[in-house]
Amino acid sequence: EAQVTQNPRYLITVTGKKLTVTCSQNMNHEYMSWYRQDPGLGLRQIYYSMNVEVTDKGDVPEGYKVSRKEKRNFPLILESPSPNQTSLYFCASSLVGRARRNEQFFGPGTRLTVL
Amino acid sequence: AQTVTQSQPEMSVQEAETVTLSCTYDTSENNYYLFWYKQPPSRQMILVIRQEAYKQQNATENRFSVNFQKAAKSFSLKISDSQLGDTAMYFCASLSNFGNEKLTFGTGTRLTIIP
């Protein structure tokens, strides 16, 4: 089954404790991205990757890191989480270029609470 | 930069009725893509319908259709014969044909179908 998986689905942590949210896709997509969803703000892009070893900042990158060592994985790293990073996080993937159908496939979301 | 505006934070409608969700956007590009995503209580992001800006014909998917007015930069979603399962948050989004493949989302409309 074609899908984007995220782990964990729920996480409660404390300020300053490093954490990683994993994202994996099995569709051989070049493009992967992280969004955060906050009430009244919709979804905003954090970081994206056009291919392996190619990453760049989105609209709200402060406090986050990413890496793209393999095509299928795109982990989101919070080195020192703070309460303002409490949010719902989505990973998404898609094809790029003419092969794409312009549809981004989303993971199930990760609910993060930073105390 | 693209912006997307959804001016209806909440709507409700009786089951079997028709409802229209509004969306306006702003872009300087000639070619782009527009989407409506549904987010039910499960939080999964589900693509409802897509529209390519260079296609004048309005997209339809079963009970879902759009009214795409390119000159007015308007992209409304019509749900016909609404069902209880349509209860969800609906996000309008735009995708540039160039650059970082970023989806720019509106703030969402929470739709409740009343039995």
Side-chain angles (χ1 to χ4, degrees):
Chain A
E1 179 189 357
Q3 60 182 351
V4 179
T5 57
Q6 293 179 228
N7 282 292
R9 296 288 310 278
Y10 302 89
L11 179 61
I12 300 174
T13 189
V14 296
T15 299
K17 185 176 181 181
K18 180 179 179 179
L19 66 92
T20 298
V21 184
T22 64
C23 173
S24 183
Q25 50 91 7
N26 62 1
M27 296 168 279
N28 202 35
H29 285 166
E30 299 93 345
Y31 177 84
M32 297 186 74
S33 179
W34 278 101
Y35 296 87
R36 60 177 288 174
Q37 181 181 353
D38 302 290
L41 296 177
L43 284 79
R44 294 174 294 167
Q45 190 184 56
I46 302 170
Y47 267 96
Y48 67 96
S49 171
M50 299 294 282
N51 214 325
V52 176
E53 301 293 357
V54 180
T55 64
D56 209 344
K57 297 176 180 179
D59 294 324
V60 288
E62 293 77 19
Y64 305 94
K65 289 175 59 177
V66 293
S67 68
R68 187 89 182 272
K69 295 184 173 60
E70 305 166 283
K71 196 172 188 178
R72 64 182 293 129
N73 296 324
F74 190 46
L76 180 68
I77 304 158
L78 285 72
E79 294 270 3
S80 182
S82 62
N84 65 12
Q85 293 178 298
T86 292
S87 188
L88 177 60
Y89 291 86
F90 286 99
C91 180
S93 73
S94 71
L95 295 169
V96 296
R98 292 188 176 185
R100 65 182 178 177
R101 295 182 66 239
N102 309 111
E103 177 180 356
Q104 291 193 12
F105 293 81
F106 283 82
T110 295
R111 170 69 70 185
L112 173 65
T113 301
V114 183
L115 301 175
Chain B
Q2 298 187 334
T3 60
V4 177
T5 302
Q6 294 179 252
S7 59
Q8 304 154 311
E10 294 186 13
M11 296 185 71
S12 61
V13 66
Q14 292 290 138
E15 188 176 7
E17 291 186 349
T18 294
V19 61
T20 298
L21 280 58
S22 300
C23 173
T24 58
Y25 61 93
D26 192 17
T27 180
S28 58
E29 299 177 17
N30 287 323
N31 196 20
Y32 48 90
Y33 302 86
L34 299 166
F35 305 85
W36 279 98
Y37 279 89
K38 171 185 178 181
Q39 187 180 49
S42 66
R43 303 196 315 247
Q44 181 70 44
M45 294 292 287
I46 302 166
L47 180 64
V48 174
I49 200 166
R50 77 166 66 84
Q51 175 80 42
E52 298 179 60
Y54 65 89
K55 290 187 176 180
Q56 293 186 339
Q57 186 174 6
N58 289 328
T60 62
E61 289 285 345
N62 300 315
R63 297 183 296 107
F64 298 87
S65 61
V66 298
N67 182 6
F68 175 48
Q69 302 287 330
K70 190 172 184 178
K73 295 183 178 176
S74 171
F75 183 61
S76 60
L77 174 70
K78 185 171 83 170
I79 305 174
S80 303
D81 185 26
S82 57
Q83 302 174 358
L84 296 179
D86 295 334
T87 292
M89 180 75 88
Y90 287 82
F91 290 99
C92 179
S94 68
L95 175 67
S96 169
N97 196 32
F98 304 97
N100 71 1
E101 306 277 335
K102 179 180 71 175
L103 279 169
T104 300
F105 286 87
T107 52
T109 296
R110 185 173 300 281
L111 176 65
T112 301
I113 308 300
I114 303 167

